[in-house]
Amino acid sequence: MNKTQKRFSMRNKLIIIFGLLILAAGLVEGLLAVRTASKAVTEKVEAHLIDKATDTAEVIDGRVNAFWQFLEGIARMPAFRDPAISYTEKCLLLDKEAAFNNQILDLNIADRKGNLYTSDGKSTNISHLVWYKDSNGGQKYFAEPFMSPVLHKLVMAVIVPVMDDNNTLIASLVALIPGNWLTDRIDDIIVGQTGYCHIVGSNGLIVAHKDFDWVTKRFNGVEKGKEDPSFALYGKFIQSALDAEKSAIGFYEYKGNRYIASYAKIAATGRTVIITAPVNEFMGTVAALRT
């Protein structure tokens, strides 16, 4: 082999070596860039979802409190604090007040023993009903949807106390509103392309959902997750959301799809807003960059 051949051979080797070094450096730089971009996108998505859940919870909290304030204004009227006025007369007054709010299906008054009076002069004891018990005997409360045996439809009960001049509980106003009241308040919330919002009660029961059948069927994510493997990860996520003290992000899988979700507590009722969407609707740009 002459000197010229040796020189070309050495040059080719150097070209290959430096080419491999450049390729390796490029791959490392590319991987770091994708990783950095992925982290940035993930953090942005998580912050957006948490803000969305928090804002939704605050909006619902405001609407619940506004409804309570409407009823509390009625409860402070002298007629409902006057023992000389019969419950039948008070119920007739309540019928007139209820007419000012088209969300109210029925508005009546209950005494301390849980006897609910109506304008036709009849009374029914409701002290044994779960939602009345949960109100601690007629205290301020916003019940979860239940089937009304009188109205024969899904309703929610909103309760406010009637206090005397000594701030002692003497009765309670009980308003029945449509069972889809909460669902209507979240129906227009869309996240990503197909993401949505739903609300769960303290035990995992869905109390508001864009597909109202989940509410009417009294679907409980926590309990369903324990008995159905396809809902196991969703059930665990819901339980972690119920146990959490502050808003955060979580992931779960359902029917082969991976979802990202955030949650926040509704201060007025203690229930939890869940914002959820398929992960690929947010991470698609990262996947494209990686490819």
Side-chain angles (χ1 to χ4, degrees):
M1 183 180 292
N2 57 37
K3 292 183 178 180
T4 301
Q5 289 176 323
K6 288 183 178 180
R7 186 166 58 250
F8 277 109
S9 178
M10 181 62 68
R11 185 175 66 180
N12 289 339
K13 289 180 180 179
L14 290 174
I15 289 174
I16 292 172
I17 292 172
F18 282 108
L20 290 173
L21 288 174
I22 292 171
L23 179 60
L27 287 173
V28 171
E29 184 178 5
L31 290 173
L32 289 175
V34 170
R35 183 178 179 182
T36 302
S38 178
K39 183 179 179 181
V41 171
T42 301
E43 290 177 350
K44 186 175 182 180
V45 168
E46 290 180 353
H48 169 68
L49 289 178
I50 290 175
D51 288 344
K52 189 74 173 180
T54 302
D55 291 345
T56 301
E58 289 177 352
V59 169
I60 295 173
D61 185 69
R63 291 173 177 175
V64 169
N65 278 309
F67 202 94
W68 266 332
Q69 289 171 6
F70 171 77
L71 292 180
E72 287 171 337
I74 298 175
R76 285 192 292 268
M77 293 174 64
F80 302 110
R81 304 166 66 185
D82 188 348
I85 299 177
S86 69
Y87 280 109
T88 300
E89 293 176 291
K90 291 175 180 178
C91 288
L92 289 171
L93 289 173
L94 287 174
D95 287 345
K96 294 179 181 179
E97 294 297 327
F100 291 104
N101 192 321
N102 58 12
Q103 297 173 349
I104 296 178
L105 301 174
D106 202 10
L107 179 59
N108 295 299
I109 188 169
D111 61 22
R112 287 295 308 276
K113 295 181 179 180
N115 294 309
L116 183 71
Y117 298 87
T118 53
S119 56
D120 58 5
K122 297 179 181 180
S123 67
T124 304
N125 190 278
I126 60 173
S127 61
H128 63 288
L129 299 179
V130 174
W131 56 268
Y132 187 77
K133 288 181 179 179
D134 289 342
S135 73
N136 194 24
Q139 300 288 345
K140 192 174 179 181
Y141 188 65
F142 208 100
E144 297 176 349
F146 63 93
M147 184 60 67
S148 169
V150 177
L151 300 178
H152 304 293
K153 62 173 66 177
L154 204 67
V155 300
M156 301 174 72
V158 186
I159 303 173
V160 296
V162 178
M163 315 297 286
D164 65 11
D165 294 336
N166 297 318
N167 204 34
T168 300
L169 176 66
I170 57 175
S172 301
L173 297 187
V174 180
L176 295 183
I177 61 176
N180 61 350
W181 189 87
L182 277 176
T183 295
D184 288 347
R185 268 81 198 146
I186 63 171
D187 187 57
D188 59 345
I189 297 175
I190 300 174
V191 185
Q193 298 174 5
T194 61
Y196 62 94
C197 170
H198 60 292
I199 302 174
V200 298
S202 58
N203 63 351
L205 184 73
I206 289 183
V207 298
H209 196 285
K210 70 170 186 176
D211 184 351
F212 196 60
D213 283 346
W214 289 64
V215 180
T216 57
K217 293 178 180 178
R218 298 186 62 79
F219 181 89
N220 188 310
V222 175
E223 296 303 320
K224 188 68 173 179
K226 295 177 181 178
E227 58 190 48
D228 187 341
S230 65
F231 284 95
L233 294 177
Y234 172 76
K236 290 180 180 179
F237 166 74
I238 294 298
Q239 188 62 66
S240 66
L242 297 177
D243 295 339
E245 295 182 359
K246 61 180 182 179
S247 301
I249 287 289
F251 296 86
Y252 65 90
E253 292 184 7
Y254 173 62
K255 290 186 176 180
N257 294 318
R258 185 168 169 78
Y259 293 85
I260 181 172
S262 62
Y263 48 83
K265 288 286 191 298
I266 303 173
T269 65
R271 297 182 182 106
T272 306
V273 167
I274 307 290
I275 301 289
T276 184
V279 171
N280 58 17
E281 290 186 8
F282 294 100
M283 302 305 179
T285 54
V286 176
L289 179 61
R290 183 180 294 112
T291 301

